[in-house]
Amino acid sequence: MKPPPSTPRRPASTRLTDPGLTSPGRSGTRLTSPGRIGPSRIVLAGASLVILASAGLLNGLAPMSSDDYSYVMKGVSWAAMRDHYMGWSGRLVADTLSSLVLGWGTHWADAVNTGALVWILATLGQRLAGKASWVPDARVLFFIFILYWVNNPKLGHTTFWIVGAANYLWTHAILFGFVLAFVAALQGTQQGGQQATQLGGRLGQRLGRLQGGQPHRPLWQGLALAVLGLAAGCTNENTAPTAWLLLAWLTWQARPGRQRARPADQARIEPASRPDIEPAARLDTNTESGPRPDIPQGAARTALAWPVFWLACMALGMAVLLLSPGDLHRAAHPSNREWYDTALGWRIEYHLVRRFPDSMAKYWQAALVLLWGAACIRLPRPVARRIGLLVGLACIANLALVFAPPYPKRALQGGFMFMLLAVAVMGHQAVQPGALRRARLLALGLALCALQWLVSFGLLLRAYHGTALQDELRVALIQKGLAEQAPRIEIPKYYFSPLLNSRDQFDIFFNGEAMAAYYGTQAQIVEYPVTGPYDIEHPPAPTPSAAR
């Protein structure tokens, strides 16, 4: 009796490259079964929860301070926004968000936005590194959050102060969210037609539309990105123009008929010989020369018309921001006259010699991470060029402050975002198989950063919990003064217990007039200094003579 014929096994190469078993842009990787959550997704969810919980705890403990009282009273009416734009600031997006978040009365919005910004940077870095995915690696995501925390030029002002977060956290989430959507659409324009040609039929057409490529783009998608681009242009005076330069350069690199790499370089960047670079996500490493046969040139030019339109919308938003009458009025404020009255040449020299080097030095830890990673990770030339480009954009963002009067450290947040983006690109390269040269040395650097974050978080949690208790006493003293109709109300200043970095404090600028208006009183509210911690059960000794 003959044995039953054995079922022939599919060749390994066929099994690994079956379109039904692989994800677009991730050739050779088996997908997780539908409805099954893999270990990597569990780790990613855990990292996201840690980010939200740590940011949410501190946001919840941080009290209202500084300009919060002014912006909560400003409101979001059309008249209020118009008057503010005409008389003080062109940051329509930030000023509107400040009043909105304060009106919501919850600090969790800033915590969620912190996680959103870190997720956007990690995902954008992944796409610039060559992986067309909307889900970043959990290890890279969490490390970007740690570095954002420990090397932030002014963490307390940009993340835990509500008005500061609206100016430097929310706006950068909007700006880099637009950059991410723009890059994804640009990658789809280049690859959507090729994938549709390979798959064919209705599935190929749907994939092309999903990727943003041929055969066409939904009108609502293009218009939505145009509106987002307009808002992104209105976000920040130095970061928005710098991001516009990045997107303009990527659009130029994606133009049809562009000369590709030299033949001598093809062996170094050909997808077949460089599996660590995914061709579905590359914007400027195609080794072909001349027009691509898989996408009609007329259709490719039409597809690139959308990115050009989005760039125009973003430029319009920047014009609304930079040419606002409010910024001109603020420039004429007496506090800024000394700067603008000096010679232009002296201002440029002072910025290049003094302010610019000092500003870049604030990113020393991100720069050290990049140098450490370059010694431990094998970086393909296209990836190294992207990292160098992003570091250069960080320099441009700070050079753009050359005409600005003396600025606070929180204004350096824009250049810091580009440094984090460079670290994200390197991080996603590091997690590729065979990319590490000195794994133990890299692990040591990561462990030191994680330890620094743990110490910083613990000290911040203790300090912010103390200020929350202090705020209870401050509010009680104000309420007591209102009940007694006192003409003068004295409250103690905030006292911070020791922190790893003094820049982690939220803004403690005091505006007694705005606070009195917030509480609806004509009384004069003043602060007096304290020498130690206090709470409602252990108030500090009053020192009226030292009040201001």
Side-chain angles (χ1 to χ4, degrees), residues 89-94 158 164-176 229-244 314 317-322 327 397-398 400-401 410-415 417-418:
S89 171
R91 294 184 178 180
L92 283 172
V93 174
T158 62
N167 279 268
Y168 299 100
L169 178 65
W170 286 79
T171 52
H172 284 119
I174 293 172
L175 175 60
F176 285 95
L230 183 65
C234 293
T235 53
N236 191 274
E237 292 86 353
N238 67 318
T239 316
T242 307
W244 189 92
M314 187 177 179
M318 290 189 296
V320 172
L321 170 66
L322 298 174
D327 282 347
N398 286 337
L401 296 171
R410 59 178 179 261
L412 305 178
Q413 181 87 341
M417 294 296 100
F418 288 104

Side-chain angles (χ1 to χ4, degrees), residues 15 20 48 53 112 119 153 159 166 183-184 225 242 304 312 331 333 347 355 393 418 451 456 489 493 505 531:
R15 292 197 308 272
S48 302
V112 172
W119 186 289
T159 309
V183 169
L225 271 177
T242 307
L304 285 180
H333 194 272
R347 282 184 278 160
R355 299 199 304 181
L393 290 173
F418 288 104
L451 178 62
S456 174
I489 302 175
K493 289 184 176 181
Q505 298 179 5
T531 58

